[in-house]
Amino acid sequence: MNRYLLDNRRPEAGERFAALAELFDPWTFRHLDDLGLGEGWRCWEVGAGGVSVPLGLAERVGTGGRVLATDIDVSWAGPAAGGALEVRRHDVLRDPPPAETFDLVHARLVLVHLKDRAAAMRVMVDALRPGGWLVIEDADPALQPLACPDERGPAEALANRLRTRIRTLMAERGADLAYGRTLPRLLRESDLTDVRAEAYFPVAARACAVLEAATVRHVRDQLLAADLATSEEIGTHLANLVRGDLDLMLAPMITAWGRKPA
């Protein structure tokens, strides 16, 4: 069984990647740009998924830089390869690490899903050159578990029930729903310096509804098979999303960064 609930092979993955890019790319690149990301940098994007972050990195490093984007499924990122951007199929837990070192190693919404998160982080720390930056971004659903914190009627109550049940599926697949909050400590314990972190979660954005609908369709069969939802509940929720008056909120995205000592 594929342990990753939201695998890239489903058609809904493209919708999810587009919504995640709209919601979080400005946040991600604000932090990377603040760290000095620019011409000539060598970057490793771990668990790239979609294409937006690899392309953003490649644009910034220019012809003198390099971006290696890896994932266990490169069907979405692969077509963008060229120039400074190399796309490679790679499992960070099972395959040998890249032979090179990097100025930046970045992973977004990756480690929270892995069985051995500590081992994956060690691989990424070891791949940094002295002075290089590790930037990890992961959600913490346990900090804010609701889809609609302003629960004012049956539509919001249904959204909250389904969000809880999807999180149940994630936890059963090995996701750590309280992982995001641990990132600053884990980076310090990895002997990185200048460790900092910030959290961000969108509220009532159009892309929140797009992401919610794509996610529910993505896991519909698993919800039904586990008796966590009925077809009627799922259909009603999707119709409520189309109506457009649910003020959806996501779990906090916690971005943490630290530097390998020179």
Side-chain angles (χ1 to χ4, degrees):
M1 180 182 69
N2 180 10
R3 292 184 60 83
Y4 182 39
L5 183 65
L6 300 168
D7 69 272
N8 293 357
R9 291 171 291 180
R10 291 289 299 267
E12 295 89 353
E15 298 173 66
R16 295 190 71 258
F17 290 146
L20 289 168
E22 182 176 338
L23 290 164
F24 293 116
D25 279 8
W27 169 260
T28 292
F29 281 105
R30 192 200 88 187
H31 288 89
L32 300 184
D33 292 340
D34 284 349
L35 295 179
L37 171 65
E39 182 71 32
W41 276 43
R42 302 177 67 83
C43 307
W44 181 18
E45 178 67 14
V46 181
V51 73
S52 65
V53 173
L55 284 178
L57 292 171
E59 179 182 356
R60 285 163 170 79
V61 305
T63 57
R66 165 165 164 74
V67 176
L68 174 63
T70 63
D71 204 320
I72 58 173
D73 182 343
V74 297
S75 55
W76 295 96
L85 174 59
E86 177 189 352
V87 179
R88 182 188 305 173
R89 191 199 174 283
H90 180 267
D91 186 325
V92 70
L93 288 176
R94 296 181 179 180
D95 296 329
E100 58 196 293
T101 57
F102 300 91
D103 302 290
L104 169 70
V105 178
H106 173 253
R108 187 173 76 185
L109 296 175
V110 174
L111 294 189
V112 67
H113 298 286
L114 298 184
K115 183 177 181 179
D116 193 344
R117 288 170 278 273
M121 186 174 288
R122 284 196 298 272
V123 170
M124 290 188 277
V125 170
D126 289 344
L128 292 170
R129 68 163 183 81
W133 291 98
L134 176 63
V135 181
I136 303 294
E137 303 186 279
D138 260 309
D140 194 312
L143 274 177
Q144 197 298 100
L146 300 177
C148 297
D150 181 21
E151 188 178 310
R152 54 191 174 85
E156 289 81 9
L158 175 58
N160 286 337
R161 287 198 304 274
L162 288 180
R163 179 71 64 85
T164 298
R165 292 166 186 177
I166 291 171
R167 300 271 168 74
T168 297
L169 289 176
M170 293 175 63
E172 290 174 350
R173 296 294 185 100
D176 182 351
L177 302 184
Y179 183 65
R181 72 192 71 181
T182 69
L183 289 174
R185 171 176 57 82
L186 295 176
L187 294 188
R188 289 195 303 272
E189 290 176 353
S190 298
D191 296 324
L192 300 183
T193 63
D194 301 322
V195 172
R196 292 185 58 197
E198 291 185 341
Y200 166 70
F201 47 97
V203 183
R206 182 199 67 85
C208 287
V210 174
L211 179 63
E212 176 79 2
T215 300
V216 170
R217 291 197 305 272
H218 200 143
V219 302
R220 180 182 188 276
D221 292 345
Q222 292 96 320
L223 287 169
L224 294 174
D227 291 324
L228 291 172
T230 66
S231 293
E232 181 181 5
E233 286 177 315
I234 293 171
T236 299
H237 182 50
L238 291 173
N240 291 340
L241 292 171
V242 171
R243 197 177 64 238
D245 59 355
L246 287 179
D247 292 327
L248 292 169
M249 183 181 293
L250 302 183
M253 173 78 80
I254 297 179
T255 298
W257 60 96
R259 193 170 201 170
K260 191 168 189 176

